[in-house]
Amino acid sequence: MTYTLSHHIDGQLQASNSPRKSELYNPATGEIIGHVPLADLSEVDKAVAAAKKAFPAWADTPPVKRARTLFKFKTLIEQNLEELAMIVTREHGKTIEDAKGSIIRGLEVVEFMCGAPNLLKGSFSDEVGPGIDCYSLRQPLGVCAGITPFNFPAMIPLWMFPAAIVCGNTFVLKPSERDPSCSMRLVELAYEAGLPQGVINVVHGDKVAVDAILTHPDIAAVSFVGSTPIAEYVQQTAIAHGKRVQAFGGAKNHAIIMPDADVEQTADAIAGAAFGSCGQRCMAVSVAVAIGDEVADKLVARIAEQAKRLRIGPGNQPNIDMGPLVTPQHYAKVKSYLDLGVEEGAKLVVDGRDFKHTDYPNGFYLGANVFDHVTPSMRIYKEEIFGPVLCIVRVSSESEALNLINTHQYGNGTAIFTRDGDSAREFARRVQAGMVGINVAIPVPVAFHSFGGWKRSIFSDLGMYGSESVQFNTKLKTITARWPTGIRHQSAYVMPTHE
Ligand code: NAD
C-alpha cells in the first residue's frame, strides 16, 4: 500500500492539484512506497498567503507565549521520538539510532529557542542627550521560508522553523522531495502544541516550488541547506529579489592525523565519521590526511579492518552500523565516483562496490570504501561524493596538511588528532574552516553556539541556530525618544548631536 503526501497549508492538510509528483523510496528494499506532489506556483502562493495572513497576530503575540508553544512542541517531539525516527529511517535509510541522534540534535535547537525571549529583549540607553533616550528592538521579518536537504529530514527543518517562529515570523517549509514525511509529522506536532493556523506551512516540490519561493514578493527571508551549486543559486536569486538569505552548501571535511596521535582511537573515530549515515552527512570526514607514511600505514590498516567489519542492512533492524544510500540516482552517482577514483590512480584498498544485501538485493546498499594514495589533483579529492567513501592523503608535514585544507574549495568542518596542545591550538587558529574538532571527528556545535562553514560551504553572513539565528530572523529597530515636558522643541538645521 503506497501513500501520497498532501501539503500542509493554513493549519490543514491540503491535497495537491498539481499533475507533477515524485516517487518516494524505501532505500532499504528499493521499493516505491509513496509519492510526493511537486507544487506549482498557485500552491506556493496559497501557502505564502496563509503565512502572510497569520503574521500580524503572531508577531503581536508576546515572545514568552510564543516560547511556551515551542516548549510544548519540544515535549511532543520527546514523546514521539520513536515514531519520528522510524519515519526518518523509512524514507532516508539511516539506522534508527542515528535517526534518533539527529532528531535529538534538532530538539536541542528547539530547547535553545524556548529561551529566545532573552535574546529578543533589546537594549536601552538612558539620557543620550538632554531628556533623550535611545532604545533598540528586534522585530520579526514577516514570512520566512526554509528549503531543506534530504540528509537530515528532521534536524535541518528544526534548525530553521523554531527559530523563525519564536522570533514572531510565520513560515513556509519546502522539505526535500526525497524524504518529506518527517517534516509533515513535525508540523502536525507543532499544531498539536497550540500553534495558530497558518504560522507554519509545508509545500512540497522541486525547482518550480523553490523558484516560486525565491521570487515571491511576500517572502522576506529564505534559509537554505543543500548542495553548493544550488546554495549559490538560491543566494543570488533571493538577493536579486530583495530577500534576506542564508544558504549552506556542500563539504569535503579533512581530518589531520599527527604522528603523536593514538592511531587506533583516531582510526575508529574517523571510520564512524566517514561511514555513519552511509557518508551522507555534511560534517562527515571524507578526507584523512596522515602525516608521515608510518601513521598512514597504521591508519589505513585499522580503518580497512573497521570498514570490512561494518554491519550493513536496513536501518530499522537491530545491530546495523550502516544503512543504504537514499535513492537509486544517488547510488549510481557515488558508484561512478568509485570507478573514477580507480581510473584516476588512487588505490582502492577497501572496495564496497559489489556489496549486495542477500535479503534485500534491490536496496541501495554500497559497502564502505577506502582510497589510499589520493592526490589533490584527483576529482575524488576535489569534489563532494556524499557516500561511504574515505580518501587518504599522505603528506610529510603539518603545514602541508594545513595548506591542503586552506586551499580546498570547501571549508565546512575539519579535525585534528594529536596529543600536542600547541599543534592543536595553532591548527585551530590557522585553519580556513568554520567548525574545528580537536580529537573530535564531527564537531557540530551545540545548540547555543551557531553552525556554519566557510568558503564555498556557506553563502551567508550568519550561522544557523544559536544567537545568530535570532539575528537572522529579526530586524533591528532603534528608537530615539524625547518627551516635551520642560524642554522646548526648536527648529534645528544642523545634524543633531548629543550636546
Ligand atoms: P540538493 O541541493 O540537491 O537539494 C536541496 C534542496 O534544494 C531540496 O529541497 C531540493 O528540492 C532543492 N533543489 C534541488 N535542485 C534544485 C534546483 N535546481 N533549483 C532549486 N532548488 C533545487 O541537496 P541534497 O542532495 O538534498 O542534500 C545534500 C547536500 O546538502 C550535500 O551537498 C550536503 O553537503 C549538503 N548539506 C549541507 C549542510 C550544511 O549545513 N552545510 C547540511 C546538510 C547537507
Side-chain angles (χ1 to χ4, degrees):
M1 194 49 184
T2 62
Y3 52 89
T4 299
L5 294 189
S6 297
H7 303 304
H8 203 298
I9 297 177
D10 209 13
Q12 285 164 12
L13 290 177
Q14 292 206 9
S16 172
N17 294 323
S18 167
R20 297 188 314 122
K21 57 185 179 181
S22 178
E23 288 161 344
L24 296 171
Y25 290 96
N26 176 352
T29 61
E31 289 163 311
I32 292 170
I33 52 172
H35 291 93
V36 58
L38 300 174
D40 56 21
L41 299 186
S42 70
E43 290 179 326
V44 174
D45 259 350
K46 263 196 206 165
V48 177
K52 189 178 176 189
K53 188 176 72 180
F55 176 68
W58 183 246
D60 280 347
T61 303
V64 87
K65 282 197 176 170
R66 299 196 298 249
R68 270 186 207 136
T69 311
L70 218 53
F71 201 89
K72 287 189 194 143
F73 177 51
K74 161 200 138 60
T75 309
L76 287 168
I77 295 176
E78 285 164 342
Q79 288 167 356
N80 292 277
L81 183 62
E82 293 290 332
E83 184 205 344
L84 289 166
M86 270 160 32
I87 298 173
V88 168
T89 296
R90 186 182 69 213
E91 291 179 355
H92 177 284
K94 64 177 85 179
T95 65
I96 292 276
E97 285 312 307
D98 189 29
K100 271 192 214 163
S102 70
I103 297 166
I104 289 168
R105 292 305 298 260
L107 179 69
E108 288 170 5
V109 176
V110 181
E111 286 168 348
F112 175 82
M113 290 302 163
C114 290
N118 184 45
L119 295 169
L120 291 168
K121 69 185 179 220
S123 57
F124 187 95
S125 298
D126 173 51
E127 202 71 358
V128 295
I132 300 175
D133 302 326
C134 184
Y135 56 101
S136 293
L137 312 175
R138 299 213 70 98
Q139 293 193 323
L141 307 173
V143 179
C144 297
I147 301 157
T148 55
F150 81 85
N151 65 323
F152 284 110
M155 184 179 83
I156 294 182
L158 289 175
W159 286 2
M160 293 180 183
F161 72 76
I165 66 171
V166 82
C167 292
N169 303 290
T170 55
F171 205 79
V172 175
L173 175 65
K174 205 300 286 170
S176 169
E177 65 276 40
R178 291 185 248 177
D179 47 14
S181 293
C182 195
S183 288
M184 293 299 279
R185 187 66 188 123
L186 285 171
V187 167
E188 270 171 27
L189 293 177
Y191 279 107
E192 206 177 313
L195 210 61
Q197 272 191 338
V199 172
I200 306 179
N201 306 273
V202 184
V203 67
H204 300 289
D206 56 1
K207 180 172 169 50
V208 173
V210 171
D211 285 344
I213 287 171
L214 299 178
T215 55
H216 203 294
D218 291 333
I219 290 182
V222 177
S223 298
F224 172 90
V225 177
S227 57
T228 285
I230 313 296
E232 193 168 24
Y233 167 77
V234 164
Q235 184 216 30
Q236 288 173 4
T237 313
I239 286 179
H241 288 82
K243 299 181 198 325
R244 187 176 286 198
V245 58
Q246 54 177 182
F248 289 41
K252 196 85 179 177
N253 306 309
H254 295 53
I256 293 189
I257 302 90
M258 297 286 285
D260 68 343
D262 176 327
V263 176
E264 287 197 357
Q265 257 192 48
T266 303
D268 294 356
I270 290 178
F275 307 130
S277 200
C278 211
Q280 298 166 115
R281 289 182 184 141
C282 65
M283 289 291 277
V285 170
S286 43
V287 182
V289 186
I291 298 182
D293 280 332
E294 198 184 326
V295 175
D297 291 342
K298 283 192 206 154
L299 188 81
V300 170
R302 176 84 181 188
I303 293 180
E305 209 181 289
Q306 294 282 21
K308 287 177 192 158
R309 233 192 278 146
L310 279 179
R311 295 163 298 183
I312 301 170
N316 63 359
Q317 289 187 0
N319 304 321
I320 294 295
D321 300 312
M322 189 171 93
L325 289 162
V326 67
T327 56
Q329 293 81 5
H330 193 53
Y331 172 89
K333 178 181 157 189
V334 174
K335 212 167 172 188
S336 73
Y337 269 109
L338 291 165
D339 297 337
L340 174 71
V342 173
E343 274 167 39
E344 289 184 311
K347 192 170 166 202
L348 190 54
V349 289
V350 180
D351 183 350
R353 285 177 293 181
D354 292 331
F355 179 89
K356 276 264 175 257
H357 195 289
T358 40
D359 296 336
Y360 303 100
N362 298 324
F364 313 138
Y365 299 101
L366 200 58
N369 302 275
V370 181
F371 276 118
D372 196 2
H373 298 284
V374 173
T375 64
S377 61
M378 294 179 182
R379 276 184 56 205
I380 56 163
Y381 172 77
K382 292 194 274 198
E383 297 171 19
E384 183 183 48
I385 300 174
F386 221 56
V389 185
L390 179 67
C391 295
I392 313 271
V393 180
R394 295 170 178 239
V395 297
S396 53
S397 67
E398 189 184 351
S399 62
E400 203 183 327
L402 187 64
N403 186 49
L404 271 182
I405 303 177
N406 288 356
T407 51
H408 201 281
Q409 61 166 326
Y410 294 118
N412 215 35
T414 187
I416 185 168
F417 287 85
T418 181
R419 297 178 208 224
D420 179 345
D422 282 349
S423 301
R425 184 172 185 278
E426 192 59 11
F427 174 77
R429 295 196 67 240
R430 302 267 169 241
V431 74
Q432 299 291 312
M435 294 168 283
V436 183
I438 297 175
N439 299 315
V440 171
I442 304 192
V444 174
V446 290
F448 35 99
H449 288 257
S450 294
F451 182 107
W454 285 11
K455 298 189 277 185
R456 290 182 61 74
S457 294
I458 194 166
F459 300 85
S460 170
D461 301 322
L462 289 171
M464 196 86 68
Y465 66 76
S467 59
E468 300 225 334
S469 259
V470 173
Q471 281 184 54
F472 178 79
N473 280 292
T474 53
K475 52 191 173 192
L476 187 70
K477 181 180 279 176
T478 302
I479 296 157
T480 304
R482 168 161 77 178
W483 297 96
T485 31
I487 300 166
R488 290 198 55 76
H489 287 271
Q490 287 164 355
S491 304
Y493 300 99
V494 295
M495 184 69 187
T497 69
H498 62 280
E499 295 309 316

